[in-house]
Amino acid sequence: MWELWMRRALALAALAEGHTSPNPLVGALVLDREGRLVGEGFHARAGDAHAEVGALRQAGDAARGGTLVVTLEPCCHHGRTPPCSEAVLRAGIGRVVIALEDPDPRVDGGGIRQLRQAGLEVISGVLREEARQQNRAFLHRVRTGRPFGILKWAMSLDGRTALPNGASQWISGPPARDWVHRLRSGVDAVVVGGGTVRGDDPLLTSRGRRSPEPLRVVLSRSLDLPDQAKLWDTAVAPTLVAHGPDADLRRLPSGPEDLRLSACEPQQLMEALAERGCNQVLWECGPELAAAAIRQGCVQEIAAVVAPKLMGGMAARTPLGDLNFSAMDQVLQGQWHQSEPMGSDWLLRWRSGS
Amino acid sequence: MWELWMRRALALAALAEGHTSPNPLVGALVLDREGRLVGEGFHARAGDAHAEVGALRQAGDAARGGTLVVTLEPCCHHGRTPPCSEAVLRAGIGRVVIALEDPDPRVDGGGIRQLRQAGLEVISGVLREEARQQNRAFLHRVRTGRPFGILKWAMSLDGRTALPNGASQWISGPPARDWVHRLRSGVDAVVVGGGTVRGDDPLLTSRGRRSPEPLRVVLSRSLDLPDQAKLWDTAVAPTLVAHGPDADLRRLPSGPEDLRLSACEPQQLMEALAERGCNQVLWECGPELAAAAIRQGCVQEIAAVVAPKLMGGMAARTPLGDLNFSAMDQVLQGQWHQSEPMGSDWLLRWRSGS
């Protein structure tokens, strides 16, 4: 009977998709003693009120003896805001229905324990899998210390991402390119390598769909970067140039922030971005950096747009560089997560099996 | 009102899919004066009775004053069987409903003219597009003098058909491999190059789904073929080795038939196969022969099985060799014809835009 209400709480949580990092998405609603909806809330962005607090505030006295339905276990620690478990007790709630236990080591069941000890009925695990999916990026970052990585590419049916001479604009059609802007609006950072800046001079924004725009990151070993590039205009969106410890800093473009990594590798970059509060990043890089990101476990999902075109060419660019496999039982296996037409193209979304 | 009956006639025609070459698929049914179904027929294989004849025979006297519903214009010429238009007149049919006019130059509207001159009502074009789809292979062969070509490959999500060391078994899962056997059962010939025989030693049969099995064709410039190969056992299925005019015939394997072409090219092979009565062939070859077949207009459809795997590797094999494009507006465009999951894989079927 709680699933319908939980579905609504999940929908509330989804309203802030892409905006809550480093926090999770959370939605909550309050039913009064008679089961009538008297309050709703969601976590809009880090630093703002938690979902439970908003819903309880809206419910006011009607919350007394009522039920709180919330997609994530209420926190029991002081962060940027006071613990939600205390607000729940203060409001006189009689029952709490939870989808997912909070894996944050500062919470980890502590919120539920505190509520039960205070005599509240606690029901946990309602639509847990849906809640896990919704917060897969947050959960991945908490578990691994790195953002959830999505690698995106557009290719022809014969697996080409450029012609032998490098031409690649445009492989996919306008609806798929528009979809990429929407994809960017759900991530905290977009990562490319120096080659993409030199070759494509991309803008890498969500075209205003996200405010602020996601952080644009260039991972460059050589700092052999153009003097002029759209990415250097940080009035449009923030840009970060990440490099190894030995880079010649005189080669840094003016405008972007710079970030010195202990090694110029995807893994070090991801750890640094997690520390800066990124839950989810989008890789939009060339085949060599993409392969390195995969080898280092930085890619959890692939979004491949397949255009109904044949490009051909043994020397033409393909999505991925070497993954060092020598037998078919070694190759990376995953599952289709989503497959749908997108204008004249086809979108295949893949999730890693691990 | 005729569409429902025509749909049934198309379903009757489909019963012989893959078995009527060089003839088209045809289904027919007869309704009596009161509109009751009194006869059904379909063309089962070349040399057998035409669909109309079977349906009229079943209807007998009940056909008098009735309606013949037939997916293709009745023939008006003596071929291996007498003209159907005469049988229709003899049976006393009052009305003929046709989906598609026969493009065979020996017919080409002549059947319809003959029926109208004899005073019958003729309604043409009912579900014409469906009928055209059903006979696309026959129609293509009549129009171009070459069989309709389907190119099939299995690849990883990153567009690889083998690892850098050549390993490729298996990229796709059992349901997709079973589907390939079914695909073969609908074609008249399966074509590979010498490299595929040397590298994979394939069987290339429908595993008994088609009787006789489709003709297995090896197109080999060098005749550098193994002494032993599954394809040389013609007790399982017929095999043809096609080669250019200068091939050293002492290198021919014993067992298969041999075919000397004026040039060892896909186009010459396709013309020869059309003359032998093939309406539809399946290309299951490596990237170089596949690219040559595409360049020479011998591929009308691609069936790509995409496995949820990442194989990587700049040196790894990809589906197609060079198509000699240097700008994105030159690349071959087409449309998706079918897209569906197939076990753990995804099937993308593409039809050329031309």
Side-chain angles (χ1 to χ4, degrees):
Chain A
M1 72 159 287
W2 297 112
E3 295 198 356
L4 276 176
W5 288 118
M6 188 59 79
R7 219 168 281 289
R8 185 175 177 102
L10 287 166
L12 286 165
L15 292 172
E17 216 153 55
H19 290 92
T20 60
S21 297
N23 290 352
L25 294 165
V26 190
L29 51 87
V30 177
L31 306 174
D32 70 8
R33 220 178 264 278
E34 274 75 45
R36 289 171 301 207
L37 181 65
V38 290
E40 291 186 324
F42 65 96
H43 185 46
R45 62 181 64 227
D48 280 12
H50 284 191
E52 304 91 315
V53 173
L56 289 169
R57 199 175 290 154
Q58 200 175 68
D61 280 347
R64 204 150 294 276
T67 300
L68 171 72
V69 177
V70 58
T71 59
L72 197 71
E73 177 184 357
C75 65
C76 56
H77 60 89
H78 283 268
R80 290 209 236 179
T81 57
C84 291
S85 50
E86 289 177 12
V88 174
L89 296 178
R90 246 193 337 269
I93 283 286
R95 184 196 289 122
V96 180
V97 180
I98 295 167
L100 185 68
E101 300 74 20
D102 191 336
D104 187 319
R106 296 169 300 178
V107 184
D108 194 26
I112 292 177
R113 263 195 309 281
Q114 196 178 342
L115 295 169
R116 285 208 171 117
Q117 280 163 5
L120 277 70
E121 179 188 358
V122 179
I123 298 168
S124 189
V126 176
L127 297 185
R128 183 185 279 132
E129 198 41 50
E130 286 84 343
R132 205 193 300 274
Q133 274 303 312
Q134 184 176 67
N135 270 316
R136 65 182 185 284
F138 167 78
L139 295 169
H140 179 84
R141 201 259 305 148
V142 168
R143 188 164 56 84
T144 66
R146 294 188 217 153
F148 187 92
I150 302 175
L151 169 62
K152 177 236 109 186
W153 69 65
M155 69 182 193
S156 58
L157 177 58
D158 58 324
R160 301 302 177 172
T161 57
L163 286 174
N165 66 3
S168 68
Q169 287 183 344
W170 296 100
I171 292 174
S172 56
R177 303 207 301 271
D178 189 64
W179 176 82
V180 170
H181 301 154
R182 275 184 282 141
L183 183 62
R184 287 179 193 148
S185 76
V187 304
D188 303 305
V190 179
V191 183
V192 295
T196 298
V197 182
R198 289 189 297 272
D200 298 349
D201 191 17
L203 187 57
L204 301 182
T205 69
S206 72
R207 305 297 190 268
R209 280 180 184 75
R210 187 186 198 273
S211 177
E213 288 283 355
L215 178 67
R216 304 177 296 182
V217 180
V218 182
L219 181 63
S220 175
R221 192 176 307 275
S222 63
L223 288 180
D224 174 18
L225 296 167
D227 291 336
Q228 303 292 324
K230 291 187 187 130
L231 290 182
W232 306 163
D233 179 4
T234 53
V236 176
T239 303
L240 180 72
V241 174
H243 53 81
D246 307 322
D248 178 359
L249 296 185
R250 289 167 305 184
R251 307 186 70 172
L252 274 172
S254 67
E257 188 188 348
D258 92 278
L259 174 68
R260 178 185 294 260
L261 302 170
S262 61
C264 187
E265 295 291 345
Q267 191 170 334
Q268 274 70 26
L269 175 62
M270 289 302 101
E271 283 162 9
L273 291 179
E275 275 168 31
R276 295 168 74 103
C278 292
N279 281 346
Q280 184 155 267
V281 307
L282 180 62
W283 294 87
E284 298 202 45
C285 52
E288 293 304 347
L289 181 52
I294 289 173
R295 287 194 308 263
Q296 295 179 25
C298 301
V299 173
Q300 281 63 51
E301 179 176 321
I302 288 172
V305 174
V306 187
K309 299 177 181 176
L310 302 181
M311 291 168 63
M314 288 317 228
R317 212 195 299 159
T318 52
L320 294 178
D322 248 319
L323 298 176
N324 304 326
F325 297 132
S326 60
M328 280 305 300
D329 57 6
Q330 301 171 337
V331 307
L332 260 170
Q333 308 253 0
Q335 303 92 37
W336 304 119
H337 160 58
Q338 187 190 5
S339 292
E340 57 181 58
M342 188 156 282
S344 60
D345 304 314
W346 201 270
L347 172 67
L348 293 175
R349 290 184 85 165
W350 175 97
R351 288 265 174 87
S352 119
S354 61
Chain B
M1 72 160 288
W2 297 113
E3 295 198 357
L4 276 177
W5 288 118
M6 189 58 80
R7 217 169 282 289
R8 185 174 176 102
L10 287 166
L12 286 165
L15 293 172
E17 217 153 55
H19 289 94
T20 61
S21 298
N23 290 350
L25 294 165
V26 191
L29 51 87
V30 177
L31 306 174
D32 69 9
R33 220 178 263 279
E34 274 74 45
R36 289 172 301 209
L37 181 65
V38 290
E40 291 186 324
F42 66 95
H43 184 46
R45 63 181 64 226
D48 280 11
H50 284 191
E52 304 91 315
V53 173
L56 290 169
R57 199 175 290 154
Q58 200 175 68
D61 281 347
R64 204 151 293 275
T67 300
L68 171 72
V69 176
V70 58
T71 60
L72 197 71
E73 177 184 357
C75 65
C76 56
H77 60 88
H78 282 268
R80 289 210 236 179
T81 57
C84 291
S85 50
E86 289 177 12
V88 174
L89 296 177
R90 247 193 338 268
I93 283 287
R95 183 196 289 123
V96 180
V97 179
I98 295 168
L100 185 67
E101 300 75 21
D102 191 337
D104 187 320
R106 296 169 301 178
V107 184
D108 194 26
I112 292 177
R113 266 194 309 281
Q114 197 180 340
L115 296 170
R116 285 207 171 117
Q117 280 163 5
L120 275 69
E121 179 189 358
V122 179
I123 299 169
S124 189
V126 176
L127 297 185
R128 184 185 279 131
E129 198 41 51
E130 285 84 343
R132 207 193 298 274
Q133 274 303 312
Q134 185 176 67
N135 269 317
R136 66 182 186 285
F138 167 78
L139 295 169
H140 179 84
R141 202 259 303 148
V142 168
R143 187 164 58 83
T144 65
R146 294 187 218 153
F148 187 93
I150 302 174
L151 169 62
K152 176 236 110 189
W153 70 64
M155 68 182 194
S156 58
L157 176 57
D158 57 324
R160 301 302 176 173
T161 57
L163 286 174
N165 66 4
S168 67
Q169 285 182 345
W170 296 101
I171 291 174
S172 56
R177 304 207 302 271
D178 190 63
W179 177 81
V180 171
H181 301 154
R182 275 184 283 142
L183 184 62
R184 287 180 193 147
S185 75
V187 303
D188 303 305
V190 179
V191 183
V192 296
T196 299
V197 182
R198 288 189 296 272
D200 298 350
D201 191 18
L203 187 57
L204 300 182
T205 69
S206 72
R207 305 296 191 269
R209 281 180 183 77
R210 186 185 198 274
S211 176
E213 287 284 355
L215 178 67
R216 304 177 296 182
V217 180
V218 182
L219 181 63
S220 175
R221 192 177 307 276
S222 63
L223 288 180
D224 173 18
L225 297 166
D227 292 335
Q228 303 292 323
K230 292 189 186 127
L231 290 182
W232 307 162
D233 180 4
T234 54
V236 176
T239 303
L240 181 72
V241 174
H243 52 81
D246 307 323
D248 178 358
L249 297 185
R250 289 167 302 184
R251 307 186 72 171
L252 274 172
S254 67
E257 188 187 349
D258 92 279
L259 174 69
R260 179 185 293 262
L261 301 169
S262 61
C264 188
E265 296 290 346
Q267 190 169 332
Q268 275 68 26
L269 175 62
M270 289 302 101
E271 283 162 9
L273 290 179
E275 276 168 32
R276 295 169 74 104
C278 291
N279 280 346
Q280 184 155 266
V281 307
L282 180 62
W283 295 87
E284 298 202 44
C285 52
E288 294 303 348
L289 182 52
I294 289 173
R295 287 193 308 262
Q296 296 179 25
C298 301
V299 173
Q300 281 62 53
E301 179 176 321
I302 288 172
V305 174
V306 187
K309 298 176 180 176
L310 302 181
M311 291 167 63
M314 288 318 226
R317 212 195 299 160
T318 53
L320 294 178
D322 248 321
L323 298 176
N324 304 327
F325 297 133
S326 60
M328 279 305 299
D329 57 8
Q330 301 171 337
V331 307
L332 259 170
Q333 307 253 0
Q335 304 91 37
W336 302 121
H337 160 58
Q338 187 190 5
S339 293
E340 56 182 58
M342 188 157 284
S344 59
D345 304 314
W346 202 270
L347 171 68
L348 293 175
R349 290 185 84 164
W350 175 97
R351 288 266 174 88
S352 121
S354 62

